[in-house]
């Protein structure tokens, strides 16, 4: 029983990490037809910025207590800024050429990890975190690491915030309408390009937060972390139905749980394979994903 | 052979550095001249300072040239999907690795001679691309890309996890030198390997050229332009796309066998998604959908990847201020940046450059 509880919570934690990456990806894809290969790079930027700040380079920030919160905020802001620069400098000039937009993000996705590894070396850096988050607590007889709960909480907060934003604000309405039918929104005289930048900023913020919390989850940051998480985030986006935030949340939970349980009950590493098999099976049965949407 | 050497060296000096520049002078015969020059390269002792480490005919230079040719050919085969049929596959590395690993395994574990193992390795690549392609092509557009990526990722994970000690994990597998024909083993025979790489390039160019001009190739073009219209004409795009997928997979598997010979082993790096992405970069850099573009892109990318690595370790770079030195020490950063610049500033790739310079 305790093993099942531990696996379930750990799987949810992993799913939370996937959701943080996939939510922005899904919105960007749904709105702009851009499969953002640079998203993993944004995640790494967020992770490294948090690590840099918590390592004592930012006054007031540190590895514990309020200092760590400040470091995470700093990382998220840096990731958001990077996403906006990416959108303004590369995506916007290629407006109307979705394939070139994807290719440009491929280039950025290759260059960012290389740059990070040039500056801070290719090896993993130990990630600081408050002592309160490094312990475990008991739940139904299982010892569960506290940082899994932080991840789940952060993902739930992001999900709620996104739903409030999309459902309750005018900008959110434009984004939602743009995901459904971009040409119609443009025809109504609404500036969709501003929505693009907004969605990129939101995606960058979520990815950077994912990077910061991913450092907590893995206990280290390395240049390749974002890229490896990105592939699972892609799987989540396809399974959840392109452009659907709720679908991405559901698929992230499924993928995280399947991966953890398969890793434990079969050989280690088969969890990754199980996810791929799951994706192939789902696409054969329901090519449009769980929510039945495929842009 | 020796009497012909001076003439061929002259051709080599004119052709090897820049086939594109002499395009118009040689008219329609420049591919034959380029081929003659490439054939003769192992006999040349001409140094190309900056471009190559040693003389063209030295083992190290030949190895790099052969790698350039292999990746040029591989990119040409990959463009059969991207540039000719409009299929954005992210899993091409899988078929390359399948040819490489299957051939090595059949030689080392089953004790087959090289030729038989290579033929079976090719069959493995074709069978794998047929099976996975038939599944992936059930979905279209970006979902197809994602499914191919997921399959390739599964292959990459399998290779790295090393089930039953079969794949050698992160170490990869070294080719059993004692089972190779003596003319293919050892550093003294680099020239033979170079010619094999050249033969693979010629084969790929011929197959792609022939396939694209065949009736099937015209249907591929139609699918790329507008798949719905092909359906309306009464053709099923699925079968045509599967043929393109299998043909590209077969060419990639042959490339895997050549790469296995050339580098003396199968490495897990060839299974990663980064490897497929670098193929994508090569194709787009040179010019997707053109006859020579992917080849030029593949050769340039491979050369730059190796030479930039040497440059990064050289004294000239380590003396630079850190703002310049840090990015220069990472070939992948420079290649990524170059790629982004190409996509933004030069649509159509390098092969469109002469036309754009002439103002068209």
């Amino acid at each position: 029983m305790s093993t099942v509880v531990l696996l379930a919570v750990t799987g949810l934690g992993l799913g939370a990490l996937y959701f943080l990456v996939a939510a922005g990806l899904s919105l960007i894809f749904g709105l702009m037809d851009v499969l953002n290969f640079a998203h993993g790079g944004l995640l790494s930027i967020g992770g490294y910025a948090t690590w840099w700040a918590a390592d004592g380079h930012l006054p007031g920030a540190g590895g514990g207590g309020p200092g760590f919160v400040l470091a995470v905020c700093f990382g998220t802001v840096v990731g958001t800024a990077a996403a906006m620069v990416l959108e303004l400098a590369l995506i916007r000039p290629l407006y109307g050429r979705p394939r070139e937009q994807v290719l440009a993000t491929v280039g950025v996705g290759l260059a960012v990890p290389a740059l990070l590894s040039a500056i801070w070396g290719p090896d993993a850096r130990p990630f600081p975190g408050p002592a309160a988050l490094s312990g475990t607590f008991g739940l139904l007889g299982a010892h569960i690491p506290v940082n899994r709960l932080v991840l789940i909480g952060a993902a739930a907060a992001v999900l709620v915030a996104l739903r409030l934003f999309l459902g309750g604000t005018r900008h959110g309405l434009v984004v939602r309408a743009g995901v459904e039918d971009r040409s119609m929104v443009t025809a109504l005289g609404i500036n969709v390009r501003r929505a693009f930048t907004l969605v990129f900023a939101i995606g960058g913020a979520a990815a950077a937060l994912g990077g910061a919390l991913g450092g907590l989850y893995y206990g280290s940051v390395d240049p390749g972390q974002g890229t490896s998480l990105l592939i699972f985030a892609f799987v989540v986006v396809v399974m959840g139905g392109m452009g659907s935030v709720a679908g991405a949340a559901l698929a992230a939970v499924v993928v995280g749980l399947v991966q953890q349980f398969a890793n434990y009950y079969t050989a280690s590493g088969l969890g990754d394979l199980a996810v791929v098999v799951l994706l192939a099976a789902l696409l054969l049965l329901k090519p449009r994903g769980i929510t039945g949407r495929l842009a | 052979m020796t009497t012909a050497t001076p003439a061929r060296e002259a051709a080599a000096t004119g052709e090897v550095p820049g086939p594109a520049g002499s395009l118009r002078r040689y008219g329609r015969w420049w591919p034959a001249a380029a081929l003659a020059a490439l054939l003769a390269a192992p006999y040349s002792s001409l140094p190309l300072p900056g471009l190559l480490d040693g003389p063209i005919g030295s083992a190290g230079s030949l190895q790099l040239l052969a790698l350039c040719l292999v990746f040029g050919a591989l990119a040409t085969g990959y463009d059969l999907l991207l540039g000719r049929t409009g299929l954005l596959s992210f899993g091409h590395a899988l078929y390359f690795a399948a040819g490489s690993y299957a051939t090595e395994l059949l030689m080392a574990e089953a004790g087959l001679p090289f030729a038989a193992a290579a033929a079976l390795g090719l069959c493995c690549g074709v069978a794998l691309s047929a099976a996975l392609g038939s599944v992936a092509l059930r979905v279209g557009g970006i979902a197809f890309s994602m499914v191919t990526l997921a399959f390739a990722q599964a292959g990459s994970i399998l290779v790295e996890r090393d089930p039953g000690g079969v794949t050698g994990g992160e170490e990869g597998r070294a080719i059993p030198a004692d089972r190779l024909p003596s003319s293919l083993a050892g550093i003294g025979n680099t020239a033979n390997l170079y010619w094999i790489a050249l033969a693979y390039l010629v084969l790929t160019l011929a197959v792609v050229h022939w396939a694209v001009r065949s009736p099937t190739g015209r249907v591929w073009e139609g699918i790329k332009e507008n798949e719905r219209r092909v359906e309306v004409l009464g053709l099923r795009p699925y079968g045509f796309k599967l043929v393109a997928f299998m043909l590209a997979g077969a060419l990639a598997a042959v490339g895997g066998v050549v790469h296995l010979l050339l580098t003396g082993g199968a490495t897990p790096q060839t299974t990663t998604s980064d490897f497929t992405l670098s193929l994508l970069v090569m194709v787009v850099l040179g010019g997707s959908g053109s006859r020579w573009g992917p080849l030029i892109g593949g050769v340039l990318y491979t050369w730059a990847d190796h030479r930039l690595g040497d440059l990064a370790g050289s004294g000239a770079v380590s003396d630079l201020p850190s703002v310049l030195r840090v990015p220069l020490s990472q070939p992948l950063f420079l290649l990524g940046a170059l790629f982004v610049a190409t996509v933004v500033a030069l649509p159509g790739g390098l092969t469109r450059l002469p036309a754009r310079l002439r103002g068209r």
Side-chain angles (χ1 to χ4, degrees):
Chain A
M1 181 62 193
S2 62
T3 313
V4 173
V5 172
L6 178 64
L7 287 175
V9 177
T10 311
L12 283 177
L14 195 57
L17 200 51
Y18 292 154
F19 171 73
L20 288 176
V21 190
L25 266 184
S26 192
L27 276 182
I28 292 169
F29 184 83
L31 188 65
M32 313 169 64
D33 278 345
V34 173
L35 196 65
N36 185 12
F37 270 89
H39 216 66
L42 297 178
L43 182 136
S44 298
I45 288 175
Y48 268 89
T50 309
W51 164 79
W52 182 83
D55 213 35
H57 291 91
L58 186 73
F68 186 71
V69 175
L70 180 63
V72 171
C73 290
F74 175 74
T76 309
V77 168
V78 169
T80 313
M84 289 178 74
V85 168
L86 174 69
E87 204 277 335
L88 293 174
L90 280 185
I91 306 296
R92 191 162 282 204
L94 296 171
Y95 182 69
R97 288 154 60 195
R99 177 164 277 185
E100 267 90 354
Q101 288 176 328
V102 174
L103 293 174
T105 67
V106 168
V108 175
L110 289 175
V112 166
L115 191 60
L116 289 175
S117 118
I119 300 174
W120 285 295
D123 298 324
R125 296 276 179 154
F127 195 80
L133 297 183
S134 58
T136 61
F137 69 99
L139 178 73
L140 299 172
H143 296 286
I144 294 167
V146 179
N147 60 35
R148 306 293 191 271
L149 280 197
V150 177
L151 276 165
I152 297 169
V158 168
L159 176 62
V160 169
L162 267 179
R163 289 202 72 97
L164 286 179
F165 164 76
L166 289 172
T169 65
R170 188 183 144 73
H171 287 301
L173 184 71
V174 171
V175 171
R176 264 191 307 146
V179 169
E180 289 297 329
D181 189 343
R182 185 171 70 191
S183 50
M184 178 60 81
V185 177
T186 316
L188 287 173
I190 295 165
N191 188 350
V192 188
R193 294 192 186 199
R194 202 171 297 149
F196 289 174
T197 316
L198 187 64
V199 162
F200 248 86
I202 293 173
L209 182 63
L213 298 177
L216 212 55
Y217 183 93
Y218 294 111
S220 61
V221 282
D222 68 80
Q225 212 167 45
T227 316
S228 50
L229 275 170
L230 182 67
I231 289 175
F232 289 105
F234 279 156
V235 171
V236 165
V237 170
V238 176
M239 282 174 67
M242 313 286 191
S244 162
V245 174
L250 184 60
V253 169
V254 171
V255 168
L257 287 176
V258 164
Q259 205 173 355
Q260 286 297 325
F261 277 93
N263 263 339
Y264 184 82
Y265 286 109
T266 62
S268 166
L270 281 188
D272 303 357
L273 285 187
V275 170
V276 172
V277 172
L278 190 69
L279 171 74
L282 180 75
L283 280 174
L284 285 178
L285 296 172
K286 280 187 78 169
R288 286 166 175 275
I290 298 174
T291 50
R293 292 161 51 136
L294 188 61
Chain B
M1 239 6 186
T2 42
T3 50
T5 309
R8 287 190 174 173
E9 264 182 23
T13 52
E15 277 302 315
V16 171
S22 45
L23 196 148
R24 264 177 299 168
R25 233 181 317 141
Y26 282 96
R28 57 191 299 244
W29 289 107
W30 75 267
L35 179 62
L38 284 172
L39 271 175
Y43 298 107
S44 165
S45 56
L46 181 84
L48 294 172
L51 289 177
L52 292 172
D53 240 352
I56 296 176
S58 67
S61 301
L62 275 183
Q63 168 93 3
L64 177 53
L65 282 177
L67 274 179
C68 287
L69 297 180
V70 168
F71 286 112
L74 194 62
T76 306
Y78 178 70
D79 199 43
L80 208 52
L81 296 176
L82 179 70
R84 310 291 191 175
T85 322
L87 293 171
L88 184 54
S89 162
F90 286 126
H92 211 57
L94 189 59
Y95 313 110
F96 182 85
S100 188
Y101 272 95
T103 305
E104 202 282 345
L105 277 171
L106 286 166
M107 282 172 75
E109 304 293 330
L112 289 180
F114 170 70
L120 283 173
L122 168 64
C123 293
C124 281
V126 174
L128 196 63
S129 63
L132 299 186
S134 60
V135 174
L137 284 167
R138 281 174 191 270
V139 290
I142 216 75
F144 166 79
S145 310
M146 296 291 88
V147 178
T148 50
L149 177 67
F151 283 145
Q153 192 61 23
S156 178
I157 292 165
L158 261 187
V159 166
E160 297 226 334
R161 296 289 171 180
D162 196 10
V166 168
T167 65
E170 284 179 12
E171 317 250 295
R173 291 184 66 100
I175 194 165
D178 52 326
R179 297 207 179 278
L180 278 179
S182 59
S183 59
L184 295 181
I187 197 157
N189 287 313
T190 312
N192 292 340
L193 297 177
Y194 167 84
W195 280 317
I196 289 178
L198 185 59
Y200 168 57
L201 173 65
V202 173
L203 170 84
T204 306
L205 283 171
V207 167
V208 168
H209 186 58
W210 164 80
V212 166
R213 296 181 122 210
S214 71
T216 309
R218 294 184 200 287
V219 180
W220 289 340
E221 206 181 332
I223 292 173
K224 186 191 170 198
E225 296 299 327
N226 188 339
E227 188 168 342
R228 183 59 57 85
R229 195 155 15 150
V230 173
E231 273 175 42
V232 172
L233 288 173
L235 298 167
R236 279 189 68 214
Y238 179 84
F240 288 96
K241 288 197 281 188
L242 189 57
V243 168
F245 199 82
M246 285 171 63
L247 189 57
L251 287 174
V254 177
V257 176
V258 178
H259 190 257
L260 171 75
L261 280 178
L262 202 56
T263 58
T267 66
Q269 277 84 37
T270 58
T271 66
T272 57
S273 56
D274 269 4
F275 187 79
T276 303
L277 289 185
S278 59
L279 280 182
L280 183 66
V281 171
M282 292 174 197
V283 168
V284 174
L285 201 60
S288 173
S290 60
R291 189 190 299 177
W292 306 109
L295 167 61
I296 293 168
V299 169
L300 266 182
Y301 183 98
T302 312
W303 174 81
D305 197 21
H306 282 79
R307 292 302 297 172
L308 289 175
D310 293 352
L311 179 75
S314 71
V317 169
S318 59
D319 294 340
L320 288 172
S322 64
V323 179
L324 284 174
R325 186 192 40 159
V326 165
L328 276 180
S329 66
Q330 283 290 333
L332 211 53
F333 173 76
L334 292 178
L335 287 170
L338 174 67
F339 177 66
V340 171
T342 310
V343 169
V344 173
L346 193 64
L350 290 175
T351 44
R352 290 276 301 141
L353 191 58
R356 285 172 72 90
L357 287 181
R358 283 199 299 273
R360 266 195 286 141

